[in-house]
Amino acid sequence: MNILILNHYASTPKHGSAETRHYEIAKRLVKRGHGVIIAVGDYSHLLGKKWSELTDSFRFLEDGIEFQVIKTRFYTGNGVDRLLSSCDYYKNGKTSLVVDNVDTIVASSPHPLTWPLAHYLSKKRGIPFLIEIRDVWPDDLISMGALKKSHPVVPYFRHLCRKYYPRSEGIISLVPDLNEHFKSLKLKTLPRFYVIPNGIDISVFENPKKCPEAEIILSKVPQDTLKVLYTGSHGPSNGLINVLKQLAHVPPKLRRNFSFIFVGRGPEKSKLISFAVEEKLSNVFFFDPIPKECIYYLISCADVLLFSLLPFEGTKFPAYSSFKLMDYMASGKPIISVNLQGLILKETQGAVFYDIYDSESFESALKLLLNTDMETLKKMGERNKRYIQKNRDWSVIAEKFEEVLKEVST
């Protein structure tokens, strides 16, 4: 089988830890004898660069996967230029993608303009396409405050959902339940529904190799403190400004026992740095993204891992498929986590929780981490690790993906 995956922001581990879902699945599908093309947009805010500059080509191979690069414009933040970049992906993808041997298309939704592109290509080639819902448009944007319900683009996004969901051969969801979203669209019919969450290669934490980029980060942090590490996107939905606001209210005597390390990129990063400087949070450190393989080593060197997320209205399973959370849980490290119902960490009882809007609860969580014996913290980590081994290894996820593709192709 030859598969085309449309994902504007897809990446590979050596370029950072974000958006590697399709690389991980595709790598395993290739080993199973399938051919896989991943179509990416030239510019991605996650890379901060153009693929055509990184690879000197609009087509390249990585671990047997063919990447095709669609010309898209540069943008900053979440404004009009980013929307126009999505339009570039759709418009230029129609003419530039080489898909002569493709049997099935998977259109993933960092933005919904992958769907009309998939529909166009499927009609042209006479092949089925699936929609993969990772970000629920426009619901998630409204919930996180990035869009108002009255914004003129909202009905357009809903129109895309109503038009292309029924025309697909199936919908892949990263969470178990999207019923409220489907009800809001008032659709008469829906295609088959499949749940394929994100996963992790659990072997990466067995013997993580030392990494120069990680060593540099560790060398700049006081060694006589508990190192609390956050890795990943610094965006509005991550709630990192809330963490810093709460940290600013923690008494200095308690605060200086910890160093908070933030590694990643996103539209909120400059705001976070400015706040930390204004509040004189000398125990907070910010670093640029490092390769995914270095993230594993960095996590293994941390004492505690920080999981932060804003609550989304109507979301029953927050961060169900978060790469960051999968990495954290697989590492077996203690976790300090935002207190949200539906988190997997609630099921495993594998974290010390805090309320994202309550500075006293954050202070209490830090005290608990400081005063809890290591054996208890270790058991928390072991419960998380067992869950990941059973449910989220990438080999298990790739097998589910393959089964779905075979089903819609027959």
Side-chain angles (χ1 to χ4, degrees), residues 86-340:
S86 304
C87 296
D88 292 341
Y89 185 86
Y90 164 66
K91 181 182 68 175
N92 295 332
K94 289 171 69 175
T95 56
S96 68
L97 288 177
V98 180
V99 294
D100 295 340
N101 297 317
V102 169
D103 305 306
T104 310
I105 302 169
V106 178
S108 196
S109 68
H111 63 69
L113 286 171
T114 58
W115 309 339
L117 177 56
H119 181 254
Y120 170 83
L121 295 172
S122 74
K123 286 290 185 183
K124 185 178 179 181
R125 293 272 303 125
I127 56 177
F129 81 97
L130 290 132
I131 284 175
E132 182 180 77
I133 300 176
R134 294 189 293 137
D135 295 332
V136 183
W137 291 69
D139 305 32
D140 287 352
L141 295 175
I142 294 169
S143 294
M144 74 171 72
L147 271 183
K148 293 182 178 180
K149 290 182 180 179
S150 58
H151 196 287
V153 80
V154 168
Y156 174 62
F157 288 147
R158 293 201 187 283
H159 162 72
L160 291 176
C161 295
R162 291 189 186 102
K163 183 175 181 179
Y164 292 106
Y165 286 179
R167 299 186 183 194
S168 69
E169 290 295 320
I171 291 176
I172 296 172
S173 171
L174 273 67
V175 298
D177 185 355
L178 288 176
N179 284 332
E180 292 303 314
H181 171 60
F182 294 143
K183 283 180 185 177
S184 72
L185 297 171
K186 297 179 180 178
L187 292 168
K188 292 181 180 179
T189 59
L190 277 171
R192 289 168 285 189
F193 183 79
Y194 306 97
V195 179
I196 308 179
N198 275 332
I200 184 173
D201 180 355
I202 57 178
S203 67
V204 296
F205 287 106
E206 290 174 2
N207 287 296
K209 294 180 181 178
K210 281 191 174 183
C211 176
E213 292 92 334
E215 289 287 319
I216 290 170
I217 289 172
L218 294 167
S219 70
K220 295 182 178 180
V221 177
Q223 299 304 303
D224 58 346
T225 58
L226 282 175
K227 296 180 287 295
V228 182
L229 174 66
Y230 173 91
T231 63
S233 179
H234 294 41
S237 65
N238 302 111
L240 298 181
I241 192 65
N242 301 76
V243 172
L244 295 187
K245 285 178 179 178
Q246 293 185 3
L247 186 60
H249 285 93
V250 172
K253 186 176 180 182
L254 173 61
R255 199 166 64 206
R256 52 177 171 257
N257 290 290
F258 300 87
S259 289
F260 286 81
I261 307 166
F262 295 89
V263 180
R265 182 185 286 117
E268 295 272 294
K269 187 165 184 175
S270 59
K271 176 182 175 181
L272 297 169
I273 293 172
S274 296
F275 182 86
V277 172
E278 289 167 9
E279 294 295 326
K280 297 185 170 91
L281 298 177
S282 58
N283 60 334
V284 173
F285 304 86
F286 292 92
F287 299 94
D288 288 336
I290 60 176
K292 181 77 174 184
E293 54 266 29
C294 294
I295 289 289
Y296 303 130
Y297 176 69
L298 186 60
I299 287 176
S300 72
C301 295
D303 299 304
V304 182
L305 305 172
L306 169 65
F307 183 74
S308 173
L309 184 71
L310 284 181
F312 281 57
E313 183 182 347
T315 301
K316 296 180 181 178
F317 301 95
Y320 188 80
S321 283
S322 163
F323 279 127
K324 179 172 30 269
L325 191 53
M326 297 303 101
D327 287 345
Y328 286 6
M329 293 176 71
S331 74
K333 290 282 183 176
I335 298 172
I336 177 171
S337 170
V338 61
N339 189 2
L340 295 176

Side-chain angles (χ1 to χ4, degrees), residues 4-19:
L4 170 65
I5 298 174
L6 302 176
N7 180 351
H8 190 144
Y9 307 124
S11 188
T12 63
K14 71 180 182 181
H15 292 296
S17 59
E19 285 288 354

Side-chain angles (χ1 to χ4, degrees), residues 322-390:
S322 163
F323 279 127
K324 179 172 30 269
L325 191 53
M326 297 303 101
D327 287 345
Y328 286 6
M329 293 176 71
S331 74
K333 290 282 183 176
I335 298 172
I336 177 171
S337 170
V338 61
N339 189 2
L340 295 176
Q341 293 301 318
L343 280 177
I344 300 170
L345 292 168
K346 290 282 187 176
E347 182 180 336
T348 61
Q349 297 181 332
V352 173
F353 294 99
Y354 68 91
D355 189 321
I356 198 162
Y357 299 118
D358 182 355
S359 57
E360 289 186 6
S361 79
F362 192 73
E363 180 182 336
S364 297
L366 293 182
K367 286 179 180 177
L368 190 58
L369 282 170
L370 201 59
N371 298 322
T372 301
D373 65 274
M374 288 307 298
E375 189 60 32
T376 301
L377 292 175
K378 185 178 178 182
K379 286 179 180 178
M380 280 186 183
E382 286 173 352
R383 289 195 294 270
N384 291 335
K385 197 169 185 176
R386 284 196 297 270
Y387 177 91
I388 296 299
Q389 288 171 333
K390 182 179 178 181

